[in-house]
Amino acid sequence: RYYRPNNSALLVSGDIDPEQIFGMAEEIFGDWPAGKDPFVKHPVPQPEPLTGNSALIVNRPVRTVTVLMQMRGPSVTIDPKATFAADVFSYILQQRNSTFHKNLVDSGLVTQATMGYYTQAHIGPIYIQMVTTPEKIKDAVAALYREIDRFTDPDYYIDDQLEIAKALFESGEIYGREKPSEFVHTVSFWWAVTGLDYYLNYIDSLRAVTRQDIAGYLNTYVIGKPFVVGALLSA
């Protein structure tokens, strides 16, 4: 239904001869018949919204407790501006001097804590993951809820942390282009998810993210919004 040559791209990287590659592509894929645009006849439906919070406990013979919370984040095809704010805010929290890290990790409540967003065309998930001990699980989860409520406080992060987050993201993105065998996967991902225009303007869009953009993202998708949380711990 969806795997058609007119809905596909072949990306090749390395020290190659273009004419040879075009010849090989024609030899291998030349008899692959095109089809009608699958998104006209079979459009991808938007996932149903979460109607409330839900929780799940999974018992396994583990020594630590892993907590994973997920929320419905922005769809890059509908709200691309929020996706840049989501990426920048995640990098603010990853800094070791962030309020998030100090209150959760440096306090001793958890050994690991991270927040991230995965860009997707249809509802990119926002996730928060923590690792702690059975004795501290209740206090750690309560502390996480307090942190979320404070995300939009004016003093939750400083301007330097905002700019450092942009710089970290930008340097990581540029470094990722140094290895063609990995870069080709990056390009193909963005081509499939949202198109190359989004990717080609990605760094400039990150640089343009403001506090207002981050607050808008958090108020729209995170603070007070339904979530699913799971805990992996021993019985």
Side-chain angles (χ1 to χ4, degrees):
R1 180 177 293 176
Y2 291 99
Y3 285 80
R4 301 285 189 175
N6 48 310
N7 188 39
S8 305
L10 174 65
L11 287 85
V12 182
S13 66
D15 184 13
I16 59 175
D17 176 357
E19 292 304 319
Q20 181 185 19
I21 294 299
F22 281 119
M24 292 174 67
E26 179 64 31
E27 178 183 352
I28 296 170
F29 297 108
D31 60 351
W32 187 17
K36 295 181 179 179
D37 185 345
F39 297 107
V40 173
K41 188 175 182 180
H42 303 285
V44 178
Q46 286 293 331
E48 293 295 325
L50 295 175
T51 57
N53 301 331
S54 59
L56 173 68
I57 294 177
V58 178
N59 292 133
R60 293 291 187 275
V62 293
R63 293 183 178 273
T64 59
V65 179
T66 301
V67 178
L68 177 63
M69 173 186 288
Q70 288 196 313
M71 307 165 185
R72 288 166 53 99
S75 300
V76 68
T77 52
I78 298 175
D79 191 5
K81 188 175 183 179
T83 66
F84 301 114
D87 286 341
V88 171
F89 186 69
S90 298
Y91 267 63
I92 289 175
L93 300 193
Q94 288 181 25
Q95 297 173 47
R96 290 188 174 272
N97 65 344
S98 68
T99 302
F100 183 79
H101 192 276
K102 289 178 179 178
N103 291 345
L104 294 177
V105 180
D106 292 350
S107 67
L109 283 173
V110 305
T111 56
Q112 299 176 35
T114 186
M115 179 175 180
Y117 164 75
Y118 186 53
T119 309
Q120 290 287 276
H122 306 282
I123 310 300
I126 299 166
Y127 63 88
I128 302 175
Q129 183 166 322
M130 304 188 304
V131 178
T132 185
T133 62
E135 297 77 20
K136 297 178 180 179
I137 177 64
K138 290 184 178 180
D139 290 339
V141 171
L144 173 60
Y145 292 158
R146 290 195 296 271
E147 291 304 299
I148 293 173
D149 288 339
R150 292 189 57 205
F151 277 170
T152 54
D153 287 357
D155 61 348
Y156 196 74
Y157 60 90
I158 60 176
D159 291 340
D160 282 350
Q161 291 171 323
L162 172 60
E163 296 308 314
I164 289 172
K166 296 178 184 180
L168 288 172
F169 221 114
E170 180 176 351
S171 61
E173 181 59 39
I174 294 172
Y175 181 74
R177 300 174 184 177
E178 293 296 314
K179 194 172 183 180
S181 60
E182 294 182 2
F183 181 48
V184 71
H185 291 289
T186 299
V187 174
S188 61
F189 171 83
W190 291 114
W191 176 85
V193 171
T194 185
L196 291 183
D197 286 344
Y198 177 95
Y199 177 68
L200 293 174
N201 294 294
Y202 188 74
I203 298 300
D204 289 339
S205 298
L206 281 181
R207 290 174 181 155
V209 171
T210 65
R211 281 179 170 269
Q212 291 74 23
D213 295 332
I214 293 175
Y217 152 68
L218 292 170
N219 285 321
T220 303
Y221 298 100
V222 179
I223 298 175
K225 304 305 176 184
F227 60 81
V228 177
V229 62
L232 173 66
L233 69 165
S234 64

